Amino acid sequence: MQLLTIETTGASASVALSDQEGNLTLEISSDRMNHLQNLMTMIQSVLEKRSLQIGDVTAIAVSEGPGSFTGIRIGVSAARALAQALSLPVIPVPTLQSFVYQEPSGENFIVSPLFDARRSQVYAGAYRLANPDEREELASDGGILPVVEGKAWDVREYLARLAEEADREVRFYGDGTGAYEKEIMECIETLAGRGIRGSIAKPEHRFQRADSVGMLGMERMIAGKMVNYGQVKPVYMRKAEAERKLEEACQK
Amino acid sequence: MKQQILTLAIESSCDETSAAVVRNGREVLSNIISSQIDVHKVFGGVVPEIASRHHLDNINQVVDQALLESGMTLDDMDMIGVTYGPGLVGALLIGLSTAKAFSLAKGIPLVGVHHLQGHISANYIEHPDLEPPFLALIVSGGHTSLVDVSGYNEMKVIGGTRDDAAGEAFDKVARVLGLGYPGGPLIDRLAKEGNKDAVPFKRVYLEKGSRDFSFSGTKTGVLNYINSEKQAGREINKADVAASFQQAVMEVIVGKAVEAARDLGRDKIVLAGGVAANSCLREMLTEACHEQGLKLYCPSLLLCTDNAAMIGCAAYYRYQEGLVDDLTLDAVPGLPLGSV
Ligand SMILES: [Zn+2]
């Protein structure tokens, strides 16, 4: 069993190759936003490091979004075409939820990734890894408990909701932590008022990465959440600007 | 040596998602084109983000259909040909990312193709006897170019547009006349009912000896004419305007193409690109070539549009000369032609 994981929704692309024995090879691009150029050679490189061939891969996990629209498309198109050519199943992985595997002991705190969607908007959601006793019933979803729904939010609205719902330590992730640092610091203060700790994740854990996407992918694969290449859909969480404008104009 | 080379080709530079299987460069086994024209019509032009989304939605199915229709599988393919520029970067990358994944998965060569080299190559498919050298006239939504083609992979752009491409000018005029989008075929159809000599719109030849084109002056002339007629309270004969505008544009294009062929000593003119479907252009060019003793080659209407078969043909001739790309091939939205 070899799971190849592709993550291209953020500023730097990453690729992971993992198996059920706990072997993991990770490649993170040092180039920013150069996914189209780098992705295939990164895949070759993780295979080489483990002395494997592309034909040894048994399933492909892909970070489905949200994130950069272009990035999502590069990853999804590559995953689909590899699966099409190699007759492999694909495991689409929700990018926001993958953050529960970004750091160990995920059941002790709530992860809150925020991706900058500009104009005071974020793609955000809050999640927690279920405790072993909560896990059984949630196993089909990788044992993830949603705290705040993942979608396109107004940043203040989202943070207000999070401050209300949080019942334990909160950690913030994603490029939204830079763009909306002020708003997040205010939220951390509100949480502190309720006796709840809040912090921004360390830079090395802050952004989406193929190893955590792959861990959730593995959970989902075991739960049978595999699809055919034709069923892998990008998750943009937002319509194209021209479409929104047209709809607004029609409503007037 | 292998008896045959099979190419899977992919094209996604603008608003058509296309895949084809081509044998030995010129024999098309399948050529599937999924057009987004209806999607973009409501916006009056191609919206890049929407085009990218549709390419992604369609591409794998289009490839499956191309393989199915050719009676081949991906395992039978010897190489992958793909458009890597020019075009919309978000659209190009869907085809390119897919092509690269196929190349890696199957361990077969990847050949990147310039979109216009593809358009020129459509004529090799159409005309089994055609070989370089010749003069190519490319007229499409985004390009109006004269290209001196001295070999399958040797070509030099000797004239291009300095402002709007012919296709863009057609879209603008069609919009002002209330005809809709895309403008080229709509103006062509309406012009058949009009008088091409009704309004003497400006013919822009630029400085003497120039092989470049400029259509913005002619376009502005049409817009000004329509405005002044409206202000004077006169009814506009749309068919006459369409016919006169089309005549003004095509007269310049045909005149420059024929002159360039004569100057360069080429005895063949090859027409290519989406606007090559325009009946006025075809008629005028046929007549002019006949007068000058030049042989004219035109692709069929299907091969005029953006399609993957033409990319597969171009890729084959690049492969023959060892022009193979590696997996880092990037999309180049402003790729110049002739940068072999
Ligand atoms: Zn074209």
Side-chain angles (χ1 to χ4, degrees):
Chain A
M1 211 291 311
Q2 294 295 341
L3 179 67
L4 176 69
T5 305
I6 296 170
E7 157 49 61
T8 53
T9 66
S12 44
S14 52
V15 169
L17 190 64
S18 54
D19 58 26
Q20 280 162 311
E21 282 77 61
N23 292 307
L24 169 78
T25 310
L26 177 68
E27 180 93 19
I28 303 175
S29 172
S30 50
D31 281 3
R32 290 173 69 81
M33 288 304 186
N34 219 356
H35 310 339
L36 179 64
Q37 231 181 335
N38 297 339
L39 185 57
M40 290 301 139
T41 44
M42 289 169 72
I43 293 173
Q44 284 178 315
S45 151
V46 292
L47 289 166
E48 262 163 42
K49 281 181 187 159
R50 295 268 291 282
S51 306
L52 292 170
Q53 309 282 319
I54 188 75
D56 297 324
V57 172
T58 44
I60 296 167
V62 62
S63 191
E64 65 183 11
S68 138
F69 290 168
T70 296
I72 293 170
R73 283 192 282 268
I74 292 170
V76 168
S77 59
R80 276 206 213 149
L82 287 172
Q84 184 176 17
L86 299 163
S87 304
L88 296 178
V90 183
I91 303 115
V93 178
T95 310
L96 294 172
Q97 297 187 19
S98 73
F99 280 84
V100 298
Y101 290 105
Q102 200 80 342
E103 297 178 67
S105 63
E107 63 275 18
N108 296 330
F109 56 87
I110 293 165
V111 298
S112 167
L114 292 90
F115 300 161
D116 183 14
R118 298 195 196 95
R119 286 175 313 212
S120 305
Q121 296 262 310
V122 286
Y123 306 113
Y127 308 90
R128 167 170 78 77
L129 205 53
N131 290 314
D133 55 316
E134 296 170 310
R135 252 188 111 94
E136 204 81 343
E137 52 198 293
L138 297 157
S140 68
D141 212 22
I144 293 174
L145 286 164
V147 178
V148 179
E149 184 200 353
K151 62 175 185 133
W153 287 88
D154 170 82
V155 65
R156 290 183 175 278
E157 210 177 299
Y158 168 76
L159 291 168
R161 182 70 166 278
L162 175 67
E164 249 170 59
E165 301 287 337
D167 61 350
R168 64 194 74 196
E169 184 176 350
V170 177
R171 210 163 287 174
F172 294 92
Y173 300 84
D175 62 359
T177 57
Y180 302 106
E181 195 181 354
K182 196 175 120 260
E183 289 82 351
I184 290 171
M185 294 320 283
E186 282 168 19
C187 179
I188 288 173
E189 250 171 68
T190 312
L191 287 166
R194 292 182 47 211
I196 295 171
R197 267 175 57 91
S199 62
I200 291 176
K202 290 195 194 87
E204 65 267 33
H205 294 137
R206 202 173 291 164
F207 306 104
Q208 51 267 64
R209 250 180 18 220
D211 50 346
S212 19
V213 172
M215 284 167 83
L216 179 52
M218 191 75 87
E219 294 281 345
R220 297 194 133 215
M221 187 179 75
I222 293 163
K225 293 202 163 185
M226 292 176 282
V227 298
N228 182 277
Y229 62 88
Q231 296 158 291
V232 189
K233 300 274 184 280
V235 176
Y236 300 116
M237 291 195 173
R238 193 192 249 179
K239 287 185 173 164
E241 179 143 346
E243 273 174 316
R244 278 183 289 149
K245 280 190 179 151
L246 191 71
E247 277 167 16
E248 277 167 30
C250 288
Q251 277 159 11
K252 269 174 202 160
Chain B
M1 177 137 175
K2 234 183 140 198
Q3 296 275 308
Q4 57 173 16
I5 303 275
L6 287 168
T7 306
L8 172 68
I10 297 174
E11 152 67 38
S12 68
S13 64
C14 189
D15 60 349
E16 339 271 354
T17 318
S18 181
V21 176
V22 179
R23 177 154 49 203
N24 295 334
R26 295 199 187 212
E27 190 191 341
V28 179
L29 303 187
S30 64
N31 191 16
I32 306 298
I33 305 166
S34 164
S35 174
Q36 303 176 11
I37 284 188
D38 289 336
V39 176
H40 297 283
K41 243 178 202 162
V42 292
F43 302 104
V46 177
V47 181
E49 174 60 25
I50 294 173
S52 305
R53 290 185 179 200
H54 280 270
H55 281 303
L56 180 59
D57 288 347
N58 297 334
I59 190 143
N60 304 85
Q61 211 185 322
V62 167
V63 168
D64 273 338
Q65 217 179 321
L67 289 167
L68 188 73
E69 216 169 89
S70 72
M72 303 284 170
T73 69
L74 209 44
D75 288 316
D76 299 318
M77 297 302 122
D78 298 293
M79 55 181 281
I80 308 282
V82 63
T83 309
Y84 72 108
L88 301 168
V89 67
L92 288 166
L93 70 83
I94 301 297
L96 197 45
S97 174
T98 303
K100 292 207 284 186
F102 287 157
S103 167
L104 174 68
K106 294 297 175 195
I108 51 176
L110 176 77
V111 179
V113 172
H114 189 291
H115 182 72
L116 294 186
Q117 185 174 359
H119 270 303
I120 293 168
S121 303
N123 281 281
Y124 297 133
I125 296 170
E126 195 77 47
H127 309 285
D129 62 310
L130 178 64
E131 274 176 35
F134 52 77
L135 179 87
L137 167 62
I138 306 170
V139 197
S140 72
H143 301 272
T144 309
S145 311
L146 287 170
V147 184
D148 186 31
V149 180
S150 48
Y152 282 107
N153 298 306
E154 284 137 55
M155 50 202 75
K156 196 174 158 213
V157 178
I158 57 165
T161 166
R162 291 199 188 159
D163 38 56
D164 303 5
E168 289 168 307
F170 272 76
D171 282 344
K172 186 72 206 271
V173 169
R175 204 176 311 148
V176 173
L177 288 175
L179 301 181
Y181 169 86
L186 295 167
I187 287 187
D188 193 24
R189 205 174 310 144
L190 184 61
K192 291 197 170 76
E193 296 157 25
N195 174 7
K196 63 182 167 52
D197 302 315
V199 195
F201 292 124
K202 205 163 119 193
R203 272 73 167 156
V204 184
Y205 286 94
L206 300 170
E207 65 278 3
K208 204 171 156 45
S210 170
R211 295 186 179 116
D212 285 341
F213 301 97
S214 169
F215 300 114
S216 78
T218 310
K219 177 191 76 185
T220 310
V222 177
L223 306 188
N224 290 345
Y225 170 81
I226 293 171
N227 274 336
S228 65
E229 290 296 291
K230 269 187 186 156
Q231 268 166 19
R234 281 190 290 270
E235 185 86 15
I236 300 158
N237 184 327
K238 287 184 182 180
D240 282 354
V241 173
S244 302
F245 163 69
Q246 181 162 271
Q247 180 70 18
V249 169
M250 297 310 181
E251 218 175 88
V252 176
I253 292 177
V254 169
K256 291 206 178 211
V258 169
E259 192 181 86
R262 212 183 39 214
D263 291 353
L264 294 162
R266 300 294 185 219
D267 58 357
K268 291 172 253 179
I269 290 185
V270 165
L271 184 60
V275 183
N278 184 284
S279 63
C280 169
L281 175 60
R282 284 187 180 229
E283 278 161 31
M284 287 175 69
L285 202 55
T286 306
E287 200 175 310
C289 285
H290 183 75
E291 269 171 26
Q292 300 285 330
L294 298 164
K295 200 157 180 211
L296 176 66
Y297 294 83
C298 298
S300 61
L301 297 188
L302 180 76
L303 288 171
C304 285
T305 60
D306 288 352
N307 69 89
M310 68 187 197
I311 302 303
C313 176
Y316 171 81
Y317 286 106
R318 294 186 73 78
Y319 180 69
Q320 291 293 305
E321 290 185 18
L323 300 167
V324 173
D325 293 282
D326 67 31
L327 291 171
T328 62
L329 183 67
D330 207 1
V332 187
L335 184 69
L337 185 63
S339 50
V340 173

